[in-house]
Amino acid sequence: MKILSVCPNSFAANTYILISDKKALIVDPSVSVSAVEKLLCAEDAVLCGILLTHGHFDHTISVDTLRNKLHIPLMMHSADATMLTDGKINGFYDFYGQECVHKPAQTLLSDDDTIPLGSESIKVINTPGHSPGSVCFLCPDTEGKQFLITGDTLFANTIGRCDLWGGDEAAIIRSLASLRKLDPNITIYPGHGPSYVLGKALETALYYTDF
């Protein structure tokens, strides 16, 4: 499975495009539709759906524009589902004093679900803490190994904040502990900032919390 990374000028939240057998899924779209279509055209791939690592506004800005134009479904964890439709809890109101809402998700995910893409599949790992429905997506890479999209649970140099709606420091400690069960050598692709090695990112995370 191939991964492409796009970072928009607004909010600096990473958008990822996953491609397998010319089929694609977009993760946390906060870029323009034209930017997405340009990448898909270069890869000769068709976009089949949207995945969200969580429901905060900076990761969801383009979801309705993409759905309206391309008629594709949106998938996110059930515990964050209300964040799309409630502008008071998705963070936008906290920063800008007004609401930003979207249409509900078409598919609600649970921990350990698998999402097919081409001939491969993506595993859903619920990692609450930054938000109740925060997830990581474990994907096969092009060399038969794996990589992990971590959203705002784990970054290269820190962990996700827990002081917004639904945040839970005890929960993120448990979530980080669960990620230690994975191969420490795999690459993580966070919701903000650069990619990094999982084991090294978890070592850094120990400075912020004891898990």
Side-chain angles (χ1 to χ4, degrees), residues 95-118:
F95 287 91
Y96 300 103
Q98 55 186 317
E99 294 190 17
C100 177
V101 297
H102 305 285
K103 295 183 295 185
Q106 285 90 343
T107 301
L108 299 181
L109 303 171
S110 299
D111 184 49
D112 211 33
D113 279 353
T114 55
I115 303 164
L117 181 62

Side-chain angles (χ1 to χ4, degrees), residues 2-8 14-19 22-27 29-47 66 70:
K2 186 174 184 178
I3 182 169
L4 303 175
S5 175
V6 190
C7 182
N14 294 323
T15 293
Y16 298 107
I17 296 178
L18 304 172
I19 302 174
K22 304 296 183 181
K23 295 183 178 180
L25 291 170
I26 188 167
V27 183
S30 56
V31 295
S32 67
V33 173
S34 60
V36 174
E37 290 179 327
K38 183 177 180 180
L39 280 172
L40 293 171
C41 182
E43 296 291 332
D44 190 26
V46 176
L47 192 63
L66 282 168
L70 302 178

Side-chain angles (χ1 to χ4, degrees), residues 1-2 120 139-147:
M1 188 175 294
K2 186 174 184 178
E120 301 172 288
C139 311
D141 69 12
T142 55
E143 298 179 351
K145 298 178 183 178
Q146 292 177 316
F147 61 87

Side-chain angles (χ1 to χ4, degrees), residues 2 4 20 24 27 47 51 55 59 71 74 102-103 109 114-115 120 126 139 148 150 174 189 193-194 203 207 209:
K2 186 174 184 178
L4 303 175
S20 178
V27 183
L47 192 63
L51 298 178
H59 297 260
H71 308 290
L74 184 151
H102 305 285
K103 295 183 295 185
L109 303 171
T114 55
I115 303 164
E120 301 172 288
N126 185 208
C139 311
L148 187 71
T150 56
R174 293 190 295 271
Y189 293 89
E203 287 178 10
Y207 286 101
T209 185

Side-chain angles (χ1 to χ4, degrees), residues 37-179:
E37 290 179 327
K38 183 177 180 180
L39 280 172
L40 293 171
C41 182
E43 296 291 332
D44 190 26
V46 176
L47 192 63
C48 302
I50 301 168
L51 298 178
L52 295 182
T53 60
H54 64 293
H56 285 138
F57 73 92
D58 51 330
H59 297 260
T60 66
I61 290 297
S62 304
V63 294
D64 282 348
T65 310
L66 282 168
R67 285 191 283 183
N68 290 339
K69 184 168 185 180
L70 302 178
H71 308 290
I72 54 176
L74 184 151
M75 295 166 270
M76 67 187 301
H77 194 276
S78 57
D80 271 12
T82 55
M83 296 177 76
L84 282 182
T85 58
D86 188 335
K88 294 289 181 65
I89 65 174
N90 63 27
F92 196 86
Y93 190 89
D94 292 332
F95 287 91
Y96 300 103
Q98 55 186 317
E99 294 190 17
C100 177
V101 297
H102 305 285
K103 295 183 295 185
Q106 285 90 343
T107 301
L108 299 181
L109 303 171
S110 299
D111 184 49
D112 211 33
D113 279 353
T114 55
I115 303 164
L117 181 62
S119 60
E120 301 172 288
S121 61
I122 300 161
K123 181 180 179 181
V124 178
I125 304 174
N126 185 208
T127 52
H130 179 63
S131 68
S134 285
V135 299
C136 296
F137 295 115
L138 186 63
C139 311
D141 69 12
T142 55
E143 298 179 351
K145 298 178 183 178
Q146 292 177 316
F147 61 87
L148 187 71
I149 298 176
T150 56
D152 286 5
T153 295
L154 178 66
F155 307 114
N157 298 309
T158 188
I159 63 172
R161 59 189 295 180
C162 300
D163 59 340
L164 299 174
W165 176 86
D168 186 329
E169 185 175 352
I172 206 168
I173 289 172
R174 293 190 295 271
S175 294
L176 293 170
S178 72
L179 295 182

